[in-house]
Each structure stands twice: as C-alpha cells, then as structure tokens.
C-alpha cells in the first residue's frame, strides 16, 4: 500500500537515519490503480475493527463466503461446540466428531477431519479426546501436544508530534533492521510496524494500567488533539519454545502455564525504537 504524504515523511525520516523502512504487506482487497475495482476504501478504523465493506482478505471473506455461494453441499454450523474426537477401535482413524448444538449432542463423520481451533483449543480438543489407544490424548504419544506454547512479546508505542498527522490510513510502514539483532547482541530482536490510526476513544483503553485512571479524566476533545498528532507503532519480538509453557486440561478446566522469556531482546527492541 502506498504511503500517504504524512506517513511518507515519517518513512523518509527513518531512511535518513540509515534504516530501511518498507511498505508493510497487508491482506486487503485493495486495487490502487483502479479504485472502482477495490472494496477497500482505506478507512481510519482498519486495524482491530470489523470491516464493514468486507475488504479484509481473511478466511471468512476469501474462502467461507465464496464456498457457501458456489457449492450446494456446503454447510456452515455456528454456535456448535466441538467436545471431542472419537476414533476407531484401532485408534488410527477419526470416526466421529462429538458436538453440542443448542444443548443437544450431535455426531458428525467425514473422510477428512480438520482440526483448526487455534493454538490453545486445538491442543485442548486433542487432549480431551483421550481414549484407551491414546491415553494422553490424540497425536500425543510424544507428550508434546500443548507444550512449547508461544504467544510473542508485543509492545505498542505512540509517538506524539507537534503537527497534525493528516494520514487517513496510517498502517503502511514496517522496519526489520533489528530482526537479526545488533553487533553487540547477535540475537533476533523483532520487527516494527505501524498500528492503525490512534483514535481518541482508544486512548483510555490502551493506556498503561498506572496511567489509565488519569487518562480517563482528560476531556474527549483534548484526547482528540493528542490522537490526531500521533503515530502508532507495534513492536513484536518472538518468545522462545519452552516445554513448561503449555496448555493442560484438568477435568473440565483449561490451564495455560506461561512464563515470559526472551525479554532482553524485547527490551532492547523497545529501547532502540523509542530512540529512533
């Protein structure tokens, strides 16, 4: 996506300091050469908000909706909670998917069963599907299902400028110069990208916990003055796999054991980017 003028000036400033900002790849249905063929309108509520014109190229827009329209044998069930997977006596095949819909149990079968419940609930479903052949859960003879849970170390920074930022769509810049570390720290520190626009109503919710009570006292108009002079940045550092960071199922309860790690790399990234 092209930079709007105010964001272009930010990118130029970063480049003048010796870094290599680039255009952030985004999954948007945008055709900048022919806007009549473009669902995306580059609005100011893109990041973190539902898209009202269906311009985000996500699985719903790009896969589920077209399939539902094209194929007569496509059925989508919502509000259906999958409870467990049942196997054959040999334990080698999934024979049914046990599901709860509107308080009633239903069982579904198919030649192919795809588990796509996200990093936490995929592990939960496999662990809850334990049976005689798989006493520790399906696909878990190695005791690795649910282990090495990673969630990344993420920091949001807002830079406040004296001049108004007129860019309507600000999430276009990325910087990866520190991805492989620094001369005195040869370990990956992470990547930097813009957040979407900072809006006045977001500031109290996103403020650090100690500041939040005071930020709420700032009148909306003054928060608006801050928001329109700001640029949001999103810093992302990978955490590291640790077998003790894991998803566990005890009875009906889900336990997430997680201890932060790789914090030195994240702290260096934050320090460096605040200076930048």
């Amino acid at each position: 996506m092209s930079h709007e003028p105010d964001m272009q000036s930010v990118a130029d400033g970063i480049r003048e300091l010796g870094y290599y900002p680039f255009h952030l790849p985004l999954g948007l249905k945008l055709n900048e050469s022919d806007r009549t063929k473009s669902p995306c309108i580059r609005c100011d509520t893109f990041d973190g908000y539902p898209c009202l014109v269906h311009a985000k190229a996500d699985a719903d827009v790009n896969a589920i909706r077209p399939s539902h329209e094209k194929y007569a044998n496509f059925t989508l069930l919502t509000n259906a909670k999958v409870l467990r997977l049942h196997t054959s006596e040999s334990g080698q095949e999934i024979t049914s998917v046990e599901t709860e819909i509107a308080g009633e149990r239903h069982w579904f079968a198919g030649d192919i069963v795809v588990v796509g419940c996200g990093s936490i609930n995929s592990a939960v479903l496999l662990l809850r599907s334990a049976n005689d052949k798989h006493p520790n859960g399906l696909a878990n003879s190695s005791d690795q299902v649910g282990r090495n849970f990673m969630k990344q170390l993420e920091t949001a920074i807002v830079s406040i400028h004296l001049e108004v930022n007129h860019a309507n769509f600000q999430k276009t810049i990325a910087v990866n110069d520190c991805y492989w570390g620094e001369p005195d720290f040869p370990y990956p520190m992470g990547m930097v990208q813009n957040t979407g626009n900072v809006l006045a109503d977001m500031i109290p919710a996103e403020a650090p916990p100690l500041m939040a009570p005071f930020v709420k006292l700032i009148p909306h108009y003054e928060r608006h003055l801050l928001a329109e002079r700001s640029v949001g940045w999103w810093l992302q550092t990978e955490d590291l796999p640790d077998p003790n960071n894991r998803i566990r199922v005890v009875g009906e309860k889900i336990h997430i054991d997680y201890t932060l790690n790789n914090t030195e790399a994240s702290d260096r990234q934050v320090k460096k980017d605040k200076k930048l």
Side-chain angles (χ1 to χ4, degrees):
M1 294 183 66
S2 61
H3 301 315
E4 295 181 37
D6 283 356
M7 299 309 294
Q8 183 66 60
S9 68
V10 173
D12 293 343
I14 295 172
R15 190 173 298 276
E16 289 171 4
L17 292 174
Y19 298 92
Y20 297 89
F22 59 95
H23 291 267
L24 177 66
L26 294 169
L28 290 175
K29 304 175 85 66
L30 176 70
N31 185 335
E32 292 196 296
S33 62
D34 186 353
R35 296 298 292 273
T36 65
K37 298 179 180 178
S38 176
C40 178
I41 58 174
R42 292 184 66 125
C43 68
D44 65 353
T45 57
F46 155 71
D47 193 23
Y49 290 84
C51 178
L52 301 182
V53 294
H54 311 305
K56 290 186 178 182
D58 56 20
D60 178 30
V61 170
N62 275 15
I64 293 177
R65 295 185 190 202
S67 298
H68 194 257
E69 294 171 0
K70 183 176 180 179
Y71 299 106
N73 63 346
F74 181 97
T75 302
L76 174 66
L77 295 177
T78 60
N79 295 315
K81 182 179 181 180
V82 177
L83 301 176
R84 60 186 295 126
L85 305 173
H86 295 275
T87 71
S88 61
E89 291 186 7
S90 67
Q92 298 300 305
E93 304 89 19
I94 301 297
T95 55
S96 66
V97 179
E98 184 179 348
T99 309
E100 182 180 291
I101 303 174
E104 297 183 357
R105 296 295 173 95
H106 297 263
W107 285 262
F108 298 91
D111 294 332
I112 298 174
V113 175
V114 178
V115 176
C117 317
S119 57
I120 295 176
N121 282 298
S122 291
V124 168
L125 179 58
L126 294 173
L127 294 172
R128 280 182 170 163
S129 299
N131 58 30
D132 291 341
K133 294 292 184 179
H134 302 278
N136 295 321
L138 299 189
N140 196 29
S141 60
S142 62
D143 193 32
Q144 291 301 299
V145 171
R147 289 187 182 271
N148 299 296
F149 176 64
M150 299 166 65
K151 69 175 188 66
Q152 300 167 329
L153 307 177
E154 299 170 338
T155 303
I157 293 178
V158 175
S159 57
I160 307 296
H161 303 251
L162 294 176
E163 300 165 346
V164 173
N165 181 359
H166 296 284
N168 193 59
F169 189 105
Q170 299 178 20
K171 191 178 174 71
T172 57
I173 302 174
V175 185
N176 268 8
D177 290 77
C178 297
Y179 195 84
W180 296 116
E182 300 179 292
D184 62 336
F185 188 77
Y187 304 101
M189 291 160 54
M191 68 92 63
V192 184
Q193 59 178 277
N194 286 129
T195 65
N197 295 39
V198 177
L199 304 177
D201 290 335
M202 294 168 53
I203 294 176
E206 299 293 341
L210 292 178
M211 292 178 59
F214 303 100
V215 172
K216 291 179 180 179
L217 299 176
I218 300 176
H220 185 274
Y221 175 70
E222 293 182 14
R223 281 190 270 126
H224 172 73
L225 295 178
L226 287 173
E228 68 177 2
R229 288 165 173 77
S230 66
V231 177
W233 299 97
W234 185 256
L235 284 58
Q236 184 167 298
T237 300
E238 301 298 330
D239 52 355
L240 302 175
D242 180 343
N244 294 314
N245 285 346
R246 62 182 300 194
I247 312 302
R248 297 182 294 116
V249 175
V250 180
E252 293 298 314
K253 292 187 176 182
I254 299 171
H255 294 256
I256 302 178
D257 302 327
Y258 184 82
T259 301
L260 286 171
N261 61 41
N262 204 28
T263 54
E264 182 180 358
S266 177
D267 291 344
R268 290 180 72 104
Q269 173 85 315
V270 171
K271 183 178 180 180
K272 187 175 187 68
D273 288 306
K274 285 169 65 176
K275 182 178 179 181
L276 173 63

